[in-house]
């Protein structure tokens, strides 16, 4: 049986996660043209590619395998990046969801280090564990991406190992090549501790004026 991902709006104090639509394209086109030095290991569209990027995400969503989001900074009301639920996994011969990945994430340079990423992950994890009842949330990155690996570990996810030549490389000049993938996870028994740590971390960032 096929499980179809459907992600609702998720509201935080620093970020609101809205299902990704073409109406976000203009603001995302500005976001992607800020400093791009943190995008070396992942594909992030240029301004002129954002509309096509959103269309591609919608095609994946139509297959039920992806629930893409725009990340809206509450301080400005503007879209500053994207993220998604991805690759739902169900128990054999059922539609009972037990695991999902959080991925397809990028943020404008100006939104990095503001608490937006931490709260977005808190919202995504919380919905997956507490509403969908999953046992596991995965996060993955290019094994060479030390910055991304450190950021994922800081969320409280546990490093599980490296899958060799397990997916497409997005590094410039490696077209058609395969990457080694670092795999992290949070499981249901760890979620209460991870949730408390993420809430404490998010609380350290200043709140936007209401």
């Amino acid at each position: 049986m096929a499980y179809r991902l459907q992600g609702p709006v998720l509201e935080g104090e620093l970020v609101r996660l809205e299902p990704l639509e073409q109406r976000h394209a203009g603001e995302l086109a500005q976001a992607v043209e800020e400093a791009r030095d943190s995008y070396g290991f992942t594909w992030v569209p240029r301004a002129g590619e954002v509309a096509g990027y959103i269309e591609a995400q919608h095609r994946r969503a139509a297959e039920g395998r992806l629930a893409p989001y725009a990340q809206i900074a509450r301080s400005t009301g503007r879209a500053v990046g994207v993220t998604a639920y991805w690759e739902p996994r169900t128990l054999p011969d059922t539609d009972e969801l037990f695991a999902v990945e959080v991925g397809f994430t990028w943020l404008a340079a100006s939104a990095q280090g503001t608490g937006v990423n931490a709260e977005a992950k808190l919202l995504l994890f919380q919905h997956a564990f507490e509403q969908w009842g999953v046992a596991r949330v995965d996060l993955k990155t290019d094994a060479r991406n030390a910055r991304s690996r450190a950021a994922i570990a800081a969320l409280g996810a546990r490093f599980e190992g490296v899958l060799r030549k397990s997916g497409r490389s997005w590094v410039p000049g490696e077209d058609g090549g395969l990457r080694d993938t670092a795999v992290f996870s949070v499981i249901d028994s760890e979620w209460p501790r991870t949730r408390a740590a993420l809430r404490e971390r998010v609380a350290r960032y200043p709140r936007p004026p209401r």
Side-chain angles (χ1 to χ4, degrees):
M1 299 182 184
Y3 184 94
R4 301 186 65 82
L5 279 176
Q6 292 183 326
V9 173
L10 300 175
E11 295 272 3
E13 294 187 76
L14 305 177
V15 65
R16 182 173 68 255
L17 301 181
E18 299 178 351
L20 181 65
E21 301 291 348
Q22 286 294 349
R23 63 187 174 85
H24 299 117
E27 292 173 359
L28 291 174
Q30 294 182 45
V32 296
E33 293 304 330
E34 295 183 13
R36 294 177 60 91
D37 56 301
S38 64
Y39 301 155
F41 291 95
T42 189
W43 186 75
V44 177
R46 303 300 306 223
E49 299 169 324
V50 168
Y53 174 89
I54 294 173
E55 288 179 6
Q57 295 296 71
H58 284 179
R59 287 194 293 271
R60 295 184 179 99
E63 297 170 356
R65 299 173 57 214
L66 182 79
Y69 283 101
Q71 301 195 64
I72 312 299
R74 299 298 295 264
S75 60
T76 63
R78 296 178 62 82
V80 294
V82 301
T83 191
Y85 287 119
W86 170 237
E87 292 288 17
R89 273 121 53 216
T90 57
L91 296 175
D93 301 318
T94 76
D95 60 359
E96 183 179 345
L97 183 70
F98 76 91
V100 70
E101 183 175 338
V102 169
F104 284 97
T105 301
W106 55 262
L107 275 176
S110 61
Q112 297 173 22
T114 65
V116 165
N117 179 62
E119 190 175 50
K121 295 301 193 298
L122 172 61
L123 294 170
L124 291 164
F125 292 173
Q126 184 167 278
H127 187 78
F129 284 116
E130 298 178 14
Q131 301 302 317
W132 289 341
V134 301
R136 173 188 175 92
V137 174
D138 299 329
L139 302 101
K140 299 174 184 174
T141 189
D142 191 303
R144 297 166 292 181
N145 192 344
R147 179 174 180 169
S148 178
R149 289 177 63 162
I152 293 171
L155 297 169
R158 179 176 296 187
F159 174 61
E160 294 186 329
V162 173
L163 300 177
R164 297 177 297 169
K165 292 192 173 183
S166 64
R168 177 179 177 178
S169 172
W170 297 103
V171 174
E174 295 185 0
D175 295 350
L178 298 174
R179 75 176 193 182
D180 293 348
T181 300
V183 179
F184 295 76
S185 72
V186 179
I187 60 173
D188 51 1
S189 60
E190 299 165 346
W191 171 236
R193 174 171 48 82
T194 302
R195 178 181 56 203
L198 277 173
R199 285 177 174 171
E200 180 180 349
R201 179 177 171 188
V202 169
R204 299 188 194 119
Y205 292 94
R207 278 10 189 197
R210 294 189 180 275

